[in-house]
Amino acid sequence: VLFEQNQWDSLVDQFKQEFYKLYGMTLEPLLNIYLQAGLTALKTPFCFEGNCPKEDPLSLDGFRKLAEPLPFSKQHHSKLVCHITKELMDTENPPLVLPNGYVYSTKALDEMAKKNGGKIICPRTGEECNYTELVKAYIS
């Protein structure tokens, strides 16, 4: 036996590295590099706490694994996401404030009121209130 198996493995790795260098190729597939570049812009701590909206690519395990070693993006503007629907709260789906101070989207609270005869039950505290007691939040 000329070489041990681990020496052959090392030799193969060295050969590959030199081959890639010689032809200007990357060890990492280009698709991964491009995906990571895009995921860097999307990666926030919010998505890694299990609160990622289903429309976000980081809600998928494959993308989440690819984004793990990447830094979090620098978000200059805050985004409000409803705790119930996991959807963005904006002018189309404005935030409403419950008497206890918790904030949820209009869409989520409209659906809840329809199912409960005009009653709203806070999913975090269990407190009940009437839909008429809700106050629209204005964000600037």
Side-chain angles (χ1 to χ4, degrees):
V1 176
L2 282 166
F3 292 108
E4 297 292 323
Q5 182 62 41
N6 61 351
Q7 290 174 316
W8 278 113
D9 292 341
S10 175
L11 192 59
V12 168
D13 287 341
Q14 286 177 353
F15 178 80
K16 282 182 185 176
Q17 287 176 5
E18 291 303 316
F19 179 83
Y20 288 147
K21 262 194 253 177
L22 181 64
Y23 289 101
M25 298 168 64
T26 62
L27 292 172
E28 182 82 17
L30 285 176
L31 180 60
N32 284 7
I33 293 170
Y34 294 140
L35 283 172
Q36 286 179 331
L39 291 173
T40 299
L42 298 173
K43 183 178 177 187
T44 63
F46 179 77
C47 283
F48 279 77
E49 295 169 356
N51 298 322
C52 207
K54 58 184 174 270
E55 297 83 22
D56 192 323
L58 289 169
S59 67
L60 302 170
D61 290 336
F63 286 127
R64 188 180 290 256
K65 184 177 178 187
L66 194 59
E68 268 179 20
L70 303 175
F72 289 114
S73 71
K74 304 250 185 284
Q75 298 281 330
H76 296 289
H77 299 286
S78 296
K79 294 178 184 177
L80 287 177
V81 178
C82 179
H83 178 76
I84 299 169
T85 63
K86 308 293 187 230
E87 292 178 5
L88 190 64
M89 291 187 275
D90 54 17
T91 54
E92 302 296 317
N93 187 21
L96 294 175
V97 184
L98 275 61
N100 65 6
Y102 283 99
V103 178
Y104 303 102
S105 69
T106 298
K107 181 180 175 182
L109 296 176
D110 280 348
E111 288 176 17
M112 188 184 293
K114 285 176 188 170
K115 289 178 185 174
N116 299 326
K119 292 277 185 197
I120 301 295
I121 302 162
C122 180
R124 291 183 174 138
T125 65
E127 293 178 47
E128 281 189 29
C129 69
N130 289 318
Y131 189 84
T132 56
E133 295 177 69
L134 303 179
V135 178
K136 188 172 182 179
Y138 294 93
I139 301 162
S140 57

